[in-house]
Amino acid sequence: MEDEEVRNAFLAAVLGINLKEINESKILPSHLRQKDKDDKLGILDVRVLLNNREQIDIEIQVTFSEYWAERTLFYLGKMFTDQLKPGENYQKLEKCIHIGILNFIMFDDEEYYSRFHFWSDKGRKLYSDKFEIHTLELPKLAKHDYPETELLKWLQFINAETEEEFEMAAEKSEYIKKAYRLLWSCFREMELEKEVICGKSSGKSFTFLHRKQHRKWKNIGSRVNGRLGIST
């Protein structure tokens, strides 16, 4: 983990809470426990412990996934049951939250952000608050105009593709600006590493490096992690 302050600001924006409500967040191991060798292995993109209570699974999905909802529920269920060891009381179970950052459109409406709970069909009675799902659909940002919020600022930064777009997004928040500096440092380290390997200066600019790495980052899903100051 490179920067907890940046991560906390992003989580506050997604969860819709005041940043002051987050005392701390920690990166947890991304592999979920297998009870036996035949269990399907669960590997999360980023797993966070928030305020030493709630667990958050942050997933980045670049390509369309027909069974994304099923995958989300599988990871949430594994993360939830992973909290208990044999003989422990159910009272120990804490809320588990999924945040899905999607590079495809999942719902046929204009809303780029959706939050889900377990409600009754009638009367909206809350069955339990232990599961919570947040879905962020990046392609919708280019299709519609939205009121500016802290969450929209972060998504514009995550979705940026040019140096100008990065700089515009960075000017909107001190935390995004810090994330931008972390991203620049990341690319600079990549450039220096290549210089060492090649034995000569590459002379590549930030913009050229970004364009070259953008395709690779899309394939591995680490584009968002780097911009949030998260390394797994």
Side-chain angles (χ1 to χ4, degrees):
M1 175 59 217
E2 294 183 16
D3 195 277
E4 182 180 0
E5 188 177 47
V6 170
R7 182 173 68 240
N8 290 351
F10 171 74
L11 289 175
V14 175
L15 300 178
I17 61 177
N18 192 303
L19 182 56
K20 294 180 180 179
E21 296 180 43
I22 301 180
N23 299 318
E24 64 174 349
S25 63
K26 300 177 182 177
I27 297 293
L28 297 177
S30 59
H31 284 63
L32 299 171
R33 281 188 300 163
Q34 287 178 287
K35 293 183 179 180
D36 58 62
K37 64 179 182 179
D38 295 325
D39 272 0
K40 182 175 176 60
L41 180 64
I43 304 176
L44 309 180
D45 283 353
V46 182
R47 187 182 185 187
V48 177
L49 181 65
L50 184 66
N51 290 336
N52 206 33
R53 295 190 61 184
E54 297 100 336
Q55 290 193 48
I56 303 175
D57 166 33
I58 305 174
E59 296 285 324
I60 302 99
Q61 183 65 23
V62 176
T63 59
F64 174 76
S65 176
E66 183 178 359
Y67 301 106
W68 179 253
E70 288 79 3
R71 175 178 169 179
T72 296
L73 293 173
F74 173 77
Y75 281 157
L76 265 178
K78 291 276 285 187
M79 191 165 61
F80 190 68
T81 59
D82 198 40
Q83 298 179 73
L84 284 188
K85 297 178 181 178
E88 291 183 330
N89 194 286
Y90 294 117
Q91 188 177 3
K92 185 180 177 182
L93 292 168
E94 297 286 357
K95 176 186 283 190
C96 288
I97 301 170
H98 167 86
I99 298 174
I101 303 172
L102 310 180
N103 197 39
F104 63 90
I105 293 177
M106 186 170 182
F107 303 107
D108 188 20
D109 60 13
E110 295 186 4
E111 298 299 323
Y112 68 87
Y113 167 73
S114 302
R115 180 173 62 181
F116 302 91
H117 295 92
F118 284 169
W119 301 95
S120 62
D121 291 342
K122 293 184 179 180
R124 288 181 59 81
K125 295 186 290 290
L126 183 64
Y127 187 82
S128 172
D129 69 345
K130 298 295 184 181
F131 276 26
E132 190 172 292
I133 298 173
H134 300 255
T135 301
L136 310 169
E137 299 167 90
L138 296 178
K140 290 182 178 179
L141 300 185
K143 296 178 178 292
H144 309 284
D145 292 325
Y146 301 100
E148 188 166 84
T149 62
E150 288 303 308
L151 177 57
L152 183 62
K153 294 175 187 177
W154 276 104
L155 294 186
Q156 289 171 337
F157 176 64
I158 290 170
N159 209 37
E161 295 191 4
T162 67
E163 186 173 358
E164 182 181 5
E165 289 174 345
F166 275 117
E167 292 176 349
M168 288 178 60
E171 289 303 316
K172 296 181 178 181
S173 163
E174 61 177 300
Y175 301 107
I176 297 177
K177 183 176 290 186
K178 189 172 185 179
Y180 177 59
R181 291 199 299 267
L182 289 170
L183 178 64
W184 162 250
S185 297
C186 174
F187 281 122
R188 180 57 183 158
E189 288 173 8
M190 290 162 55
E191 183 182 36
L192 291 174
E193 185 176 317
K194 183 167 183 178
E195 289 176 7
V196 171
I197 294 173
C198 297
K200 60 181 179 180
S201 174
S202 64
K204 291 182 173 64
S205 66
F206 169 79
T207 304
F208 183 83
L209 277 170
H210 171 256
R211 288 173 180 169
K212 181 178 180 181
Q213 291 299 323
H214 181 69
R215 293 188 296 272
K216 177 180 178 183
W217 281 33
K218 272 197 169 184
N219 290 334
I220 63 177
S222 62
R223 179 165 63 110
V224 176
N225 288 354
R227 297 174 193 184
L228 302 184
I230 296 172
S231 60
T232 55

